[in-house]
Amino acid sequence: MDRYVVAMTGGSGAAYGRRLLEVLASTGATVHFTLSDAAAKVIAHELTIPVDPADGPGCVRALLGDAPDNVVFHHYKDLEVPIASGSYRTAGMAICPCSMGTLGRVACGASSNLIERAADVCLKERRKLIVVPRETPLSEIHIENMLRLTRAGAVVLPASPGFYGGGETVERLVDFVVARVLDQFGVENDLMRRYGEPARRRHPEED
Ligand SMILES: Cc1cc2nc3c(=O)[nH]c(=O)nc-3n(C[C@H](O)[C@H](O)[C@H](O)COP(=O)(O)O)c2cc1C
């Protein structure tokens, strides 16, 4: 099933979400993409890219410099779209980055917008749900919410890149986390140097 859902929320680490969208789109898979208002604020802050969910597919163009046909944009408040229903089959969803707010709402089943509803759908349909939180330190509430999600079948994949690749750059660290998300989806990738293996693809911004 070559259909994925990618959502960006207001956690720090917008670069992870942008790179995930870019690499997943480059596989030719259909990528349903949505982002929260808070994500747009963090993107502006961290990537200096002005985006507004109201811009529709313009958000994809702003993030990727292109709007590939296989990336389908949804406003995060629009619940009348296929990914809000379990009957629309996908291979799963990544929330990257995942704010602790969104993580908590998904953990308690409070689907107040499309991001949370699409995640809820993945859990109820037993599809892959990957959440990429970035917060430190963690409160007991954060930890309990992550445990709850893990028990419900989600993969909690913290944005904690390994530093063992050698010659690390920010781009390589971003690719490390994105590679682990793609691994969870079962998408072949050579974004990171795997322990015990030599080759990896260079990040375009390293050239
Ligand atoms: C610049 C910036 C960085 C933020 N970093 C984080 C973060 O790393 N983790 C987190 O959980 N929330 C972070 N927040 C707070 C969330 O954006 C905020 O809780 C927001 O309400 C989340 O909304 P959302 O879940 O709808 O995206 C950050 C906010 C801003 C403006």
Side-chain angles (χ1 to χ4, degrees):
M1 173 66 61
D2 273 359
R3 278 183 197 154
Y4 301 92
V5 182
V6 172
M8 293 176 70
T9 62
S12 181
Y16 296 118
R18 177 174 63 163
R19 182 72 167 141
L20 176 63
L21 180 63
E22 179 182 62
V23 177
L24 215 41
S26 76
T27 67
T30 300
V31 185
H32 291 268
F33 176 66
T34 182
L35 79 169
S36 67
D37 278 333
K41 288 197 177 89
V42 177
I43 289 166
H45 196 76
E46 296 184 343
L47 303 178
T48 58
I49 297 174
V51 285
D52 181 339
D55 293 343
C59 293
V60 179
R61 211 168 297 113
L63 282 168
L64 302 187
D66 186 17
D69 290 342
N70 54 319
V71 178
V72 184
F73 180 85
H74 304 290
H75 192 283
Y76 78 105
K77 287 191 176 160
D78 186 0
L79 288 159
E80 295 177 292
V81 297
I83 58 170
S85 169
S87 66
Y88 183 80
R89 287 176 295 179
T90 70
M93 174 176 189
I95 308 180
C96 176
C98 186
S99 74
M100 284 304 179
T102 291
L103 192 149
R105 289 187 293 276
V106 175
C108 70
S111 298
S112 67
N113 63 33
L114 178 63
I115 297 170
E116 293 150 17
R117 170 61 186 168
D120 200 43
V121 163
C122 286
L123 292 177
K124 82 184 177 75
E125 300 292 337
R126 310 297 196 268
R127 294 178 192 150
K128 185 74 88 175
L129 173 64
I130 305 155
V131 296
V132 183
R134 206 286 342 156
E135 188 53 276
T136 194
L138 297 168
S139 71
E140 184 172 333
I141 293 169
H142 296 147
I143 293 167
E144 279 184 350
N145 285 338
M146 290 192 284
L147 177 62
R148 201 176 166 101
L149 274 188
T150 301
R151 286 184 171 153
V155 175
V156 178
L157 196 153
S160 358
F163 285 68
Y164 50 77
E168 301 310 345
T169 61
V170 170
E171 290 76 22
R172 285 194 190 192
L173 297 173
V174 168
D175 275 2
F176 183 103
V177 171
V178 171
R180 301 316 309 268
V181 175
L182 295 170
D183 287 353
Q184 285 296 321
F185 276 144
V187 173
E188 283 297 319
N189 72 87
D190 57 359
L191 292 186
M192 64 178 286
R193 177 170 177 236
R194 295 174 189 280
Y195 196 68
E197 295 176 18
R200 54 169 290 281
R201 195 200 315 182
R202 287 172 70 78
H203 187 289
E205 287 172 25
E206 288 181 307
D207 292 328

